[in-house]
Amino acid sequence: MAENTEAAVVVTVFTPRPEAKGELIEALREYLPEVHREEGCLLYAIHDAESGTIVLIEKWSSHAHLDRHNE
């Protein structure tokens, strides 16, 4: 079976309690520099939406890179 070398995009939407929103953002930001250094990371960004949700957007150059990140 051939390896999937297409880019992988992951979008995760968090709906934190209002009093926990800042804590969640800080926890996610803590990992930004480390993840950006990982091989294959094209994008790892946090969006603080007006709706109160936090959206984490990841883009990896391949599914294999995403799999290694998830390990």
Side-chain angles (χ1 to χ4, degrees), residues 15-39:
T15 308
R17 294 183 319 274
E19 66 274 11
K21 185 176 177 182
E23 185 179 337
L24 173 61
I25 291 170
E26 286 306 310
L28 293 171
R29 280 186 182 153
E30 181 180 331
Y31 293 100
L32 284 175
E34 181 180 336
V35 175
H36 284 150
R37 288 190 296 270
E38 289 184 42
E39 182 181 348

Side-chain angles (χ1 to χ4, degrees), residues 4-67:
N4 187 343
T5 58
E6 292 182 17
V9 176
V10 178
V11 177
T12 306
V13 179
F14 299 92
T15 308
R17 294 183 319 274
E19 66 274 11
K21 185 176 177 182
E23 185 179 337
L24 173 61
I25 291 170
E26 286 306 310
L28 293 171
R29 280 186 182 153
E30 181 180 331
Y31 293 100
L32 284 175
E34 181 180 336
V35 175
H36 284 150
R37 288 190 296 270
E38 289 184 42
E39 182 181 348
C41 179
L42 302 175
L43 176 69
Y44 194 81
I46 302 165
H47 175 68
D48 183 358
E50 288 183 26
S51 66
T53 60
I54 305 299
V55 182
L56 176 63
I57 304 163
E58 303 177 53
K59 184 174 182 182
W60 297 88
S61 60
S62 72
H63 287 261
H65 287 104
L66 174 60
D67 290 343

